[in-house]
Each structure stands twice: as C-alpha cells, then as structure tokens.
Amino acid sequence: MSTVAVTRLIEAPVAAVWQVFTDLARRREWLSAVTAVDVLTRGPFGAGTTWRETRRMADGGEITEEFRVLECVIPERFVV
C-alpha cells in the first residue's frame, strides 16, 4: 500500500478553498486531467463520501479510480 501526502499553500480564504475541493460535481472544472466524476454517495461531503474519477493519462489513455473519504475535519483536511 502506498501513501502520498500532498500539501499546497493557496492564498485564499479557507472556506472558499474547502468549497472548491469538496464540490465533487465540479472537479472537472478545476482539474484539467479529470474527464468524468461519478459521485456514489448522497448527502454532504464527509467521512464515507465515495466517488469514481476518470482522468487522462500521459500516454493518452484514461484511468478510472474510486475514492472514499476515510477522515474529514471540516474545513481543515480530508483523507481519501
């Protein structure tokens, strides 16, 4: 099992950044490699939220992966 930690400083209000990162239906608008998102759970974003995301690969192909939020501390962080 691999572990990847990503940290990025964004000069914007925390609430605005949280809204963008957790708005799964609009991920294609700000992640250029994402071609499709299928949200599999209902309700607000939080632990248990699950979605499938399809992205373009460098070789021109596509890959679909399923993500599940394991931990969510609003509006600080979430772990998938």
Side-chain angles (χ1 to χ4, degrees):
M1 181 176 174
S2 299
T3 300
V4 177
V6 178
T7 303
R8 177 180 236 172
L9 177 62
I10 299 172
E11 297 290 337
V14 171
V17 174
W18 184 261
Q19 179 61 39
V20 169
F21 274 77
T22 61
D23 185 353
L24 300 176
R26 298 180 68 189
R27 285 179 76 79
R28 294 181 346 179
E29 294 177 23
W30 63 274
L31 287 172
S32 60
V34 173
T35 60
V37 175
D38 182 22
V39 181
L40 303 175
T41 53
R42 294 180 186 213
F45 186 93
T49 297
T50 307
W51 72 97
R52 284 191 194 106
E53 188 171 292
T54 302
R55 292 185 304 283
R56 280 188 301 278
M57 303 292 287
D59 66 2
E62 287 190 327
I63 185 169
T64 300
E65 296 180 297
E66 188 169 300
F67 296 91
R68 178 182 306 265
V69 177
L70 301 175
E71 180 182 342
C72 185
V73 181
I74 299 169
E76 190 176 310
R77 65 188 173 94
F78 61 89
V79 177
V80 293

